[in-house]
Amino acid sequence: MASNPSESSPPDTVLVVDFGAQYAQLIARRVREARVYSEIVPSTMPAAEMLAKNPKAIILSGGPSSVYAEGAPSLDRAVFEAGVPVLGICYGFQLMATTLGGKVDNTGGREYGRTQLTVSKPSSALFEGTPDEQQVWMSHGDACSAAPEGFAVTASTDLVPVAAFENEERKLYGIQHHPEVMHSTYGQQVLEHFLYRGAGLSPSWTTASIVDEQVAAIRAQVGSKRAICGLSGGVDSAVAAALVQRAIGDQLTCVYVDHGLMRKGETEQVEKDFVAATGVQLKVVDAADRFIDALAGVSDPEQKRKIIGREFIRVFEQAQAQIVAEAPSDEPVAFLVQGTLYPDVVESGGGTGAANIKSHHNVGGLPEDLEFELVEPLRKLFKDEVRMVGQELGLPDEIVHRQPFPGPGLGIRIVGEVTRERLDLLREADAIAREELTAAGLDRDIWQCPVVLLADVRSVGVQGDARTYGHPVVLRPVSSEDAMTADWSRLPYDVLARISTRITNEVAEVNRVTLDVTSKPPGTIEWE
Ligand code: XMP
């Protein structure tokens, strides 16, 4: 796709002021679902700095505090006086009320959960076209009893006389409920009314426009220099690499370290399908022997991780040194591409400095003392947006919708020593489970489904007329939002039965299939 310069200027931005992270991220996502670009900023950011970002609208998020609590976050009045449309939600609504001269009381009561909202002003910009009675999600103690002067009250509940207000002229809006959660039936509509009507924005932030903007930004950053990118086979590095390739073509070289701990077909997916889809210049390093030799005799999970991490860095550094040595001297390799995502940026303070590299998620990742400038084209994106960009770039579905897979790979799914034979067994069993889950259409319902080989356990079985003494495998299907917590997936029995029958028939040495029915916590997702 050619990049159109008029489409590559920065998108119209809505700032989401964060008074409580869990709410702010969700609001930012909902705004983006309305195809308007949003960015989260801390409530401690000075108003002048917020306004210098030239936001087209500002949303004040909910938060856990009472506006009257000591040390409760506040907001400079200037935010309401800059002529920028503002929507206050929950805490942000109450803050707006008190800052602009309205009244918020501590009622002693609390509204929490599903609540009936009565829209009291039919001409409300926010509620137009939605029913007079609607279900919303509430979570607050204090309640607004009087709107600021010049504001019309647009909704109420049994407990709260002023559950929403607006000042159409000043483009200031407030709602007590949480429109960002699914339980608020018309929440998305109310949010979109604010964006499109209140702030006059249009739904123009699309995956195509993200690609255009990033391609322009990468070109501007990298110029004629060269970049390298480590491919792990995962979604993030694949999409980051594909974007950079789109921007600078052969100035990018990707490195894929095959540590021999990948699942069946995954190395080929990178080597063939990914290269075919992107035209990327790829250096594959077959280091399986080296990793498996280094893991010989090791059963302790943390030691396995350390060894795999150490070997990975050594192999990657060698490959990188080769690429640097082969590069023409006037085109130095100065950039390293990383698939850092927006939640990591927000959670690490949202700074613009070096990427915050989480050690846990970069075992099998990169050394920290690399002398490269980082290129992070996914820094502004949530995971689902990364997948959409991947689709837009024409990456194969198998890569775009790949389940999370740990850097140390199958190395931490063999309980016991890692050997070539055990890896082969596990690879087969895992491939069967994946095939059957895909065939049953369950891929998008499951977060991930590790298959674990209990290599140090044997049990007696019977196959044909013969007694066997084989190993069990464990199926660990989980559903999750973010891998921090997870529940075991209630897979249909017939799917479980097919997986079990096929694995015990087709994988010699495995004579039992078990199901892990533990949530996280207390269990982790992986067994090691
Ligand atoms: P746990 O097992 O801690 O896993 O519940 C949470 C998520 O992280 C993945 N995981 C890893 N990813 N290196 C990684 O890159 C690792 O060492 C590692 N250990 C676990 C796991 O697959 C799950 O998605």
Side-chain angles (χ1 to χ4, degrees), residues 305 360-363 404-408 412-413 447-448 483 520 523-528:
R305 275 194 174 77
H360 177 72
H361 291 281
N362 278 275
V363 175
F405 186 62
I412 55 163
R413 290 185 180 173
W447 170 265
Q448 63 187 127
K520 172 185 179 176
T524 51
I525 295 175
E526 305 290 348
W527 267 50
E528 293 213 314

